Amino acid sequence: VQARRIEYVLYIQKQPGTHSTPIRVQVQFPEGMTLVSSEPEPASQTFSTLGYMLSLETDQTLRVILSGHAQGR
């Protein structure tokens, strides 16, 4: 069985005229999947959850790549 690869991209836009806004994002991935790469690096990581603390001074892009065999697929 070939490993599955998932890419998740989240684009967060800063609203014009607003000050820097702190943003907290959590990405939870399915059992059997492992992290291949993340941009930016997560502020925290557990077995299946990545935590990010971003400052929305400009538009931000969060990109996560996972690989493995998701359960129930």
Side-chain angles (χ1 to χ4, degrees):
V1 177
Q2 187 173 356
R4 181 175 176 196
R5 188 174 173 106
I6 297 172
E7 181 175 4
Y8 173 77
V9 179
L10 175 65
Y11 183 70
I12 306 168
Q13 289 184 297
K14 179 188 179 295
Q15 295 300 310
T18 61
H19 297 287
S20 176
T21 304
I23 302 283
R24 187 163 44 176
V25 177
Q26 285 191 319
V27 177
Q28 186 170 7
F29 45 93
E31 186 176 325
M33 301 298 287
T34 57
L35 179 65
V36 173
S37 66
S38 173
E39 182 62 39
E41 290 292 320
S44 64
Q45 180 176 355
T46 63
F47 180 71
S48 63
T49 304
L50 304 173
Y52 298 88
M53 297 293 291
L54 305 171
S55 179
L56 200 56
E57 296 171 6
T58 62
D59 295 353
Q60 297 283 330
T61 300
L62 176 81
R63 176 172 280 119
V64 175
I65 299 176
L66 307 170
S67 181
H69 303 283
Q71 300 296 318
R73 304 271 173 174

